[in-house]
Amino acid sequence: MILHEKEFRAPVVKGQRDLLSYFPSHIQAQLDEGDIPIRFALTATTEDEYHYEIGLLTGQKEGRFKSSPSIFQFAQRRVENTEHFNVVLVVPTGIGAEIGGHD
């Protein structure tokens, strides 16, 4: 299995108000079969384009790694186990209020 990053650009859709539904479909169209996205970072915007990076796992053997259907999907745990837990730090970047920034 290999972990690597790819950079992409997506056209800005005028009047688009829901970036969390826009990016998953754009990302999926850019990936090769078997690529598993595990990280998304919107790095810049221009008048015409969004610039973003995707962290990918590739070359996995069948059935060795399960991923959620989308890195943008929130799946609440049914049982809370506070002995071990993951932490996420969201840093506002000023790009796209829907994903942690501010306009």
Side-chain angles (χ1 to χ4, degrees):
M1 195 174 333
I2 299 170
L3 173 63
H4 61 101
E5 299 281 326
K6 285 187 178 180
E7 294 183 22
F8 297 102
R9 294 179 176 165
V12 169
V13 178
K14 302 296 181 196
Q16 175 71 3
R17 302 301 297 166
D18 187 8
L19 293 177
L20 290 176
S21 66
Y22 173 68
F23 281 114
S25 60
H26 191 272
I27 290 167
Q28 197 59 43
Q30 306 301 314
L31 300 181
D32 296 328
E33 187 174 340
D35 284 350
I36 300 172
I38 60 169
R39 186 184 80 87
F40 169 83
L42 184 60
T43 57
T45 60
T46 67
E47 268 189 39
D48 302 320
E49 294 180 316
Y50 298 110
H51 298 245
Y52 63 92
E53 299 172 358
I54 297 291
L56 297 167
L57 288 176
T58 58
Q60 76 157 359
K61 293 185 180 177
E62 191 70 30
R64 287 195 61 196
F65 180 79
K66 288 185 176 182
S67 67
S68 67
S70 170
I71 58 176
F72 295 97
Q73 181 180 0
F74 174 73
Q76 187 170 359
R77 295 178 184 173
R78 293 183 185 162
V79 177
E80 184 177 347
N81 177 350
T82 58
E83 185 176 329
H84 301 284
F85 59 91
N86 296 323
V87 175
V88 175
L89 173 64
V90 177
V91 178
T93 62
I95 303 169
E98 294 136 293
I99 57 174
H102 58 284
D103 291 344

